[in-house]
Amino acid sequence: PAQSLAYTEADREEELSATNFAIARRTSERAALLEEVLALETTIETQIREEVLVTLSELHRQQPRLAARETEQVDDGLVADLARIEIRAPRAVTLSSDTGPFGATLVNGLDQPVVVTVRVTSDGDLTLTGDSERRLAPLARSVVRYEATTDQPGVHNVRLAVTSVDGVPLGSSDELPIRAARVSAIIWVVMAAGALVLFGMIGYRLPGQVRARRAELAAAQRTGTGSLPADPPADRPIDRTVEQPAPETS
C-alpha cells in the first residue's frame, strides 16, 4: 500500500525539476512524430522513450542538468532527421492570367521511405489547389504541383510547409511571392491590332506598287527603252610598248 512507502522529505527535495520532465515529454512526442512519418514500421518511438525514461530515473537526481542535456541531444537528433525532409519552392511565380500552375520540389533526405504532406497557405486572396500528400522513397524527390487562382492583381506571399499526414509540422518550410498580372488579354489585343495594321498596310500598298511597276514597264516598251541597256564601252587598251633608251655617244 501507498502508506508503507518510505518517501521522505529529503527524497522530495531531490526530485527532478519540471524542466526535465518537459524536455522528456517533448522528445517522446518528437519520436512519435518521426515514426508516424516513416512509411515502414519501426521501433524508434519505443527506443527513444526508454532512453528518455532513464534520464528521469532516481540515478540522475544528483545531476539533473546532465540528464536534461542528454535528453536534449536526443531531441536535437530527431529535429535534424525531420528537417531532412525538405520543401524547395521557386524564387517567384508570375501568373499571366487569373489562373496558373506552379510546382515545388519535395526532397527526402532520409534513408527510409516516408509519407508526408505539404501545407500551403497564402496571405492574400489566392486559392491554391493540388495533391499535397506524397510517399517518397529513400533519398528521393518529387515535384508537387499546384494551381493558383485569384481575381486580385498584385503580389501574394505563399508559404509551403512539410507536415505529417495529420498536419503536424516537421520543420522544413519555404516561401515564394506569386504575382498576379492580369495583362495578358491587353497584350494579345495590342499584338492582334498591330498585326492587323501591318497586314492591312501591306494589302493597301502592294497592289499600288504592282500597278506602278507595270505602268513603268509599259511606258519603257513604248519609247523603245525597254530593252536592256548596252554594255558600257570598254576601257582603252593599255600601251604595253617599252620605251628604248637612247644610244650612248662616246
Side-chain angles (χ1 to χ4, degrees), residues 3-137:
Q3 293 79 2
S4 62
L5 293 177
Y7 198 78
T8 64
E9 189 66 27
D11 293 330
R12 290 191 176 92
E13 292 177 357
E14 293 179 354
E15 288 179 352
L16 295 173
S17 66
T19 302
N20 291 75
F21 286 89
I23 297 174
R25 185 182 302 109
R26 183 183 64 201
T27 304
S28 298
E29 292 174 354
R30 198 101 62 187
L33 178 60
L34 179 59
E35 184 161 344
E36 178 186 350
V37 168
L38 296 178
L40 302 178
E41 184 176 356
T42 67
T43 59
I44 290 180
E45 182 180 3
T46 302
Q47 293 176 3
I48 297 300
R49 185 183 295 114
E50 291 176 355
E51 292 182 21
V52 168
L53 290 177
V54 169
T55 63
L56 299 178
S57 65
E58 185 178 359
L59 298 176
H60 287 79
R61 286 188 174 186
Q62 301 298 326
Q63 296 178 318
R65 294 183 179 179
L66 177 61
R69 283 198 300 269
E70 291 178 354
T71 308
E72 286 179 340
Q73 289 177 357
V74 176
D75 187 60
D76 291 342
L78 295 173
V79 171
D81 288 339
L82 292 171
R84 292 174 66 183
I85 308 173
E86 302 178 74
I87 185 69
R88 300 173 183 175
R91 291 185 177 180
V93 172
T94 300
L95 302 180
S96 58
S97 62
D98 292 344
T99 302
F102 78 95
T105 304
L106 188 61
V107 181
N108 178 20
L110 298 176
D111 58 357
Q112 297 290 328
V114 297
V115 179
V116 296
T117 61
V118 179
R119 183 170 60 192
V120 185
T121 56
S122 172
D123 63 356
D125 298 328
L126 187 71
T127 302
L128 297 164
T129 57
D131 185 13
S132 298
E133 184 173 335
R134 284 289 186 276
R135 180 188 178 99
L136 297 176

Side-chain angles (χ1 to χ4, degrees), residues 191-210:
M191 291 178 63
L196 289 175
V197 171
L198 175 62
F199 289 108
M201 292 300 297
I202 292 175
Y204 173 77
R205 299 186 62 181
L206 184 59
Q209 292 178 353
V210 172

Side-chain angles (χ1 to χ4, degrees), residues 134-217:
R134 284 289 186 276
R135 180 188 178 99
L136 297 176
L139 304 176
R141 62 181 60 202
S142 176
V143 177
V144 185
R145 302 189 183 279
Y146 297 94
E147 191 77 14
T149 304
T150 182
D151 56 359
Q152 298 294 328
V155 178
H156 306 274
N157 292 320
V158 176
R159 185 174 186 272
L160 299 93
V162 184
T163 70
S164 66
V165 176
D166 294 335
V168 181
L170 303 186
S172 176
S173 64
D174 203 355
E175 296 182 357
L176 75 151
I178 295 182
R179 179 181 296 276
R182 301 175 59 186
V183 295
S184 61
I186 299 176
I187 292 176
W188 285 112
V189 169
V190 172
M191 291 178 63
L196 289 175
V197 171
L198 175 62
F199 289 108
M201 292 300 297
I202 292 175
Y204 173 77
R205 299 186 62 181
L206 184 59
Q209 292 178 353
V210 172
R211 288 193 296 269
R213 180 59 177 167
R214 289 177 178 176
E216 291 177 359
L217 293 175

